[in-house]
């Protein structure tokens, strides 16, 4: 049986108040602090003991179990885990310890900025494509200035041969404590910005940043079917990480130039065509262009009205979401002829008379025109 006397460890009486326990531990902790006792295993052991004693005695429930049944009861209660027991010390004494307790007891909770590997930043570029390129897909070369890890310092920002130094202001904790009368406030250390280290010998090549900008040429495959607003993500082609993380991603935002004839609407391609009166009335075959530079014959049936649309399946753009291929929508506009020759006019007059249609020509007065309208 282990009869550790936790009260003796902290140097207090068995009926000490919570305030007294706290005070006693603070005093012990300062005295035994590993920063003040470097490479002193005995001080380290005592420091751990005192921390454990505090974690038990500062918790009324655990203190009661300890008072009644002894140290072993606490040890075996299942309530005893390094994490749950020692984390409260942070809340009470985080100011004196900074990172230390986490390192000691195997859990991290501190205000110091950890330099964990972080992913590099993403890069966004805009890419303007011809209409056809967007519909058919294309391979493009883009040139991007991006962060690359500095070869001289390998990203550390420190001139080779030197190291970063522990910040003298905060002693590497990353925070400083400012007392204002009754209160004391913890603040990010202004000397090191919370990193706990300072760089007295910045790398000359990158000026201590750890990265340099380089132009990178990349071949990018643009899939068929993209449109203005499409975003293409290319993994691991963004900015380099300066602390060993993976690269960021490259995002390409597509912008498509308008076409002379074609218009995109989703996966459909619209084409407006014009036919004459006679063609609309009698029917005709038009040779129409496609986006890939070919052409096809399309039949306009006799009697087609102006504004009629025809849908041709499978002649649109490829769907990016895998819905197959869109349609081509052909809209027919019937164009009224202007500047007719005398012979053409005569033919129209004949046609109108044949169909029993009244008409007036430029010479007509306004009165005649109105009368004609109501007939
Ligand atoms: Zn460098
Ligand atoms: Zn500092």
């Amino acid at each position: 049986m282990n009869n550790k006397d936790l009260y003796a460890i902290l140097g207090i009486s068995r009926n000490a108040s919570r305030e007294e326990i706290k005070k006693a531990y603070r005093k012990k902790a300062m005295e035994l602090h590993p920063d003040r006792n470097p490479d002193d295993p005995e001080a380290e052991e005592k420091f751990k003991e005192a921390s454990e004693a505090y974690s038990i005695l500062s918790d009324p429930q655990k203190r009661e179990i300890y008072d009644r049944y002894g140290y072993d009861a606490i040890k075996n209660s299942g309530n005893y885990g390094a994490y749950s027991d020692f984390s409260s010390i942070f809340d009470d004494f985080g100011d004196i310890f900074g990172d230390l307790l986490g390192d000691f007891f195997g859990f991290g909770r501190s205000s110091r900025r950890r330099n964990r590997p972080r992913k590099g930043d993403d890069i966004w570029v805009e890419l303007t494509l011809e209409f056809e390129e967007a519909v058919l897909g294309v391979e493009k070369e883009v040139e991007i200035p991006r962060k690359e890890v500095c070869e001289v310092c390998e990203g550390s920002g420190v001139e080779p041969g030197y190291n970063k130094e522990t910040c003298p202001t905060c002693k590497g904790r990353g925070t400083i404590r400012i007392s204002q009368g009754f209160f004391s406030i913890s603040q990010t250390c202004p000397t090191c910005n919370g990193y706990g280290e300072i760089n007295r010998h910045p790398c000359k090549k990158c000026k201590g940043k750890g990265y340099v900008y380089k132009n990178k040429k990349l071949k990018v495959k643009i899939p068929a079917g993209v449109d203005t607003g499409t975003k293409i993500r290319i993994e691991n082609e963004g900015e380099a990480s300066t602390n060993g993380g993976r690269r960021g991603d490259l995002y390409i935002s597509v912008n498509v130039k308008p076409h002379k004839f074609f218009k995109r609407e989703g996966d459909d391609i619209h084409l407006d065509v014009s036919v004459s009166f006679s063609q609309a009335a009698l029917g005709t075959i038009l040779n129409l262009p496609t986006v890939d530079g070919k052409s096809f014959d399309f039949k306009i049936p006799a009697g087609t009205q102006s504004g009629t649309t025809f849908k041709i399946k499978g002649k649109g753009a490829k769907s990016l979401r895998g819905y197959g291929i869109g349609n081509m929508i052909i809209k027919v506009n019937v164009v009224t002829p202007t500047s007719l020759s005398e012979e053409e006019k005569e033919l129209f007059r004949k046609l109108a008379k044949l169909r029993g249609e009244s008409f007036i020509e430029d010479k007509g007065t306004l009165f005649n025109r109105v009368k004609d309208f109501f007939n």
Side-chain angles (χ1 to χ4, degrees):
M1 192 166 154
N2 189 337
N3 268 328
K4 238 185 207 179
D5 188 347
L6 303 180
Y7 292 100
I9 289 169
L10 291 180
I12 47 175
S13 72
R14 287 190 80 85
N15 47 25
S17 69
R18 292 189 71 184
E19 251 335 282
E20 284 166 346
I21 295 169
K22 204 169 170 176
K23 245 190 206 166
Y25 176 62
R26 180 181 280 273
K27 203 174 143 233
K28 283 271 174 208
M30 299 284 251
E31 191 184 299
L32 300 166
H33 199 293
D35 272 5
R36 295 191 186 176
N37 304 276
D39 304 311
D40 182 349
E42 207 194 316
E44 191 179 305
E45 200 42 54
K46 279 187 175 167
F47 174 69
K48 282 186 185 172
E49 241 178 18
S51 299
E52 188 197 33
Y54 176 73
S55 78
I56 292 166
L57 297 182
S58 63
D59 181 329
Q61 238 181 324
K62 286 179 198 156
R63 186 179 179 186
E64 205 188 318
I65 295 170
Y66 170 74
D67 284 347
R68 279 192 191 193
Y69 308 107
Y71 178 75
D72 278 352
I74 288 279
K75 265 288 203 200
N76 302 327
S77 68
N79 210 345
Y80 188 93
Y83 190 90
S84 61
D85 282 301
F86 291 113
S87 60
S88 70
I89 301 181
F90 261 121
D91 298 334
D92 296 341
F93 298 106
D95 56 328
I96 30 176
F97 294 127
D99 251 355
L100 200 68
L101 285 183
D103 293 340
F104 258 67
F105 299 109
F107 63 95
R109 240 180 86 191
S110 88
S111 51
R112 177 172 160 183
R113 285 186 191 173
R114 294 279 191 167
N115 205 19
R116 284 192 194 91
R118 261 166 298 127
K119 180 186 152 227
D121 289 334
D122 295 332
I123 301 176
W124 286 81
V125 292
E126 208 170 285
L127 183 65
T128 301
L129 299 176
E130 298 295 336
F131 187 91
E132 294 89 339
E133 293 175 331
V135 173
L136 303 171
V138 67
E139 193 175 84
K140 283 271 166 185
E141 193 175 74
V142 293
E143 192 172 345
I144 41 170
R146 69 179 186 186
K147 274 183 199 170
E148 301 288 351
V149 173
C150 172
E151 295 142 10
V152 174
C153 62
E154 290 168 330
S156 69
V158 187
E159 189 69 15
Y162 294 97
N163 280 311
K164 283 188 182 167
E165 289 168 31
T166 301
C167 172
T169 309
C170 64
K171 308 273 183 297
R173 284 190 296 275
T175 53
I176 51 165
R177 202 122 187 123
I178 296 171
S179 290
Q180 287 190 335
F182 197 68
F183 298 100
S184 80
I185 307 157
S186 180
Q187 272 190 350
T188 300
C189 171
T191 309
C192 63
N193 287 319
Y195 287 98
E197 297 175 316
I198 48 170
N199 184 1
R200 286 199 202 279
H201 303 277
C203 167
K204 289 189 189 78
K205 166 96 194 224
C206 64
K207 300 190 171 60
K209 290 196 296 284
Y211 60 85
V212 289
Y213 274 96
K214 276 185 187 163
N215 275 346
K216 170 80 182 176
K217 277 183 187 166
L218 274 178
K219 281 215 167 92
V220 179
K221 241 189 143 102
I222 308 292
V226 298
D227 201 355
T228 293
T230 302
K231 284 163 188 65
I232 298 167
R233 175 168 169 243
I234 302 166
E235 269 186 41
N236 289 316
E237 292 291 1
E239 311 273 29
S241 164
T242 48
N243 66 353
R246 77 163 182 90
R247 264 188 190 283
D249 300 321
L250 172 65
Y251 285 88
I252 294 179
S253 174
V254 174
N255 196 21
V256 182
K257 283 192 204 164
H259 193 274
K260 239 162 103 185
F261 315 120
F262 300 115
K263 264 196 202 94
R264 265 291 275 287
E265 219 166 85
D267 301 328
D268 292 339
I269 293 175
H270 291 250
L271 178 64
D272 288 5
V273 297
S274 298
V275 293
S276 72
F277 269 165
S278 335
Q279 286 173 317
L282 302 170
T284 185
I285 290 176
L286 296 177
N287 190 255
L288 299 179
T290 55
V291 179
D292 56 7
K294 295 179 189 141
S295 66
F296 66 104
D297 286 339
F298 181 71
K299 193 176 172 227
I300 307 278
T304 295
Q305 301 297 323
S306 191
T308 305
T309 58
F310 298 95
K311 188 196 273 182
I312 309 173
K313 284 205 165 141
K315 277 208 187 303
K318 198 173 164 196
S319 165
L320 276 181
R321 282 161 296 168
Y323 300 149
I325 294 174
N327 308 308
M328 191 170 195
I329 313 281
I330 294 167
K331 185 180 173 198
V332 178
N333 294 311
V334 178
V335 179
T336 306
T338 51
S339 60
L340 297 168
S341 69
E342 197 41 50
E343 196 187 349
E344 285 168 335
K345 278 184 192 168
E346 196 45 43
L347 285 171
F348 273 114
R349 282 185 208 112
K350 259 190 202 164
L351 182 64
K353 274 176 198 155
L354 216 63
R355 294 178 62 88
E357 295 162 356
S358 63
F359 59 90
I360 49 164
E361 292 186 51
D362 271 354
K363 286 168 263 172
T365 63
L366 178 65
F367 175 71
N368 276 340
R369 276 183 229 166
V370 172
K371 202 173 76 181
D372 203 65
F373 179 76
F374 284 108
N375 277 343

